[in-house]
Amino acid sequence: MQMLRNSQQFRRVYEQGHKIHTPFFSAFFLRNGAGERRYGITVTRKIGGAVVRNRCKRRLREIMRKHELCPSCPAYVSGFDLVFNVKSELAEANFDRIQESFARVMRKVCYEMDRSSSAEIL
């Protein structure tokens, strides 16, 4: 799993990407041309102290790790950046509900990536 590291990468996804909102996070995604899936997580101080923010990030990273081991996206759908902006509900939410939200987001991302790649071929 590759991570987005600098603000330019995050900014590019925010400005040019698509948005998906869930009760626990907002997801932004954009095709990157690098041929790999890259992820980024942002948690503002509004969510809570450092312990709470780090817990939110750990929960999302674990879900991403599980998803990478058993990806629901077809193998040919790769090469996108995905940024998660955590909402305060994630800190106290049931882990299974967060996983369900993540799976729904990934299905939408894969559908959009598949649709845009087939449009490029035509």
Side-chain angles (χ1 to χ4, degrees):
M1 172 171 49
Q2 298 289 323
M3 298 299 286
L4 296 173
R5 296 288 179 197
N6 61 44
S7 63
Q8 290 174 336
Q9 293 170 330
F10 279 85
R11 207 170 318 122
R12 188 167 81 60
V13 176
Y14 290 140
E15 292 171 0
Q16 299 173 17
H18 302 276
K19 296 180 233 194
I20 300 172
H21 298 284
T22 73
F24 309 113
F25 53 82
S26 296
F28 298 80
F29 64 95
L30 178 67
R31 185 173 295 282
N32 65 19
E36 59 189 13
R37 296 179 193 172
R38 300 186 303 188
Y39 299 97
I41 301 171
T42 60
V43 186
T44 64
R45 289 186 186 154
K46 208 166 41 169
I47 302 300
V51 173
V52 174
R53 293 194 311 267
N54 287 331
R55 182 170 187 253
C56 291
K57 287 187 271 190
R58 279 195 311 272
R59 294 177 98 187
L60 269 180
R61 279 195 301 264
E62 176 62 16
I63 292 169
M64 287 187 278
R65 186 189 66 77
K66 284 183 177 182
H67 183 76
E68 286 294 317
L69 294 176
C70 180
S72 61
C73 284
Y76 60 86
V77 179
S78 61
F80 61 87
D81 294 337
L82 185 59
V83 175
F84 295 98
N85 287 355
V86 172
K87 295 181 182 177
S88 58
E89 288 80 7
L90 188 133
E92 299 298 323
N94 181 327
F95 192 75
D96 292 333
R97 289 194 57 218
I98 300 168
Q99 281 185 298
E100 291 167 10
S101 258
F102 183 85
R104 273 195 306 273
V105 166
M106 290 309 295
R107 281 193 296 274
K108 288 179 184 178
V109 168
C110 291
Y111 172 77
E112 288 296 324
M113 291 292 121
D114 187 35
R115 197 177 80 171
S116 69
S117 66
S118 63
E120 291 171 3
I121 294 171
L122 298 175

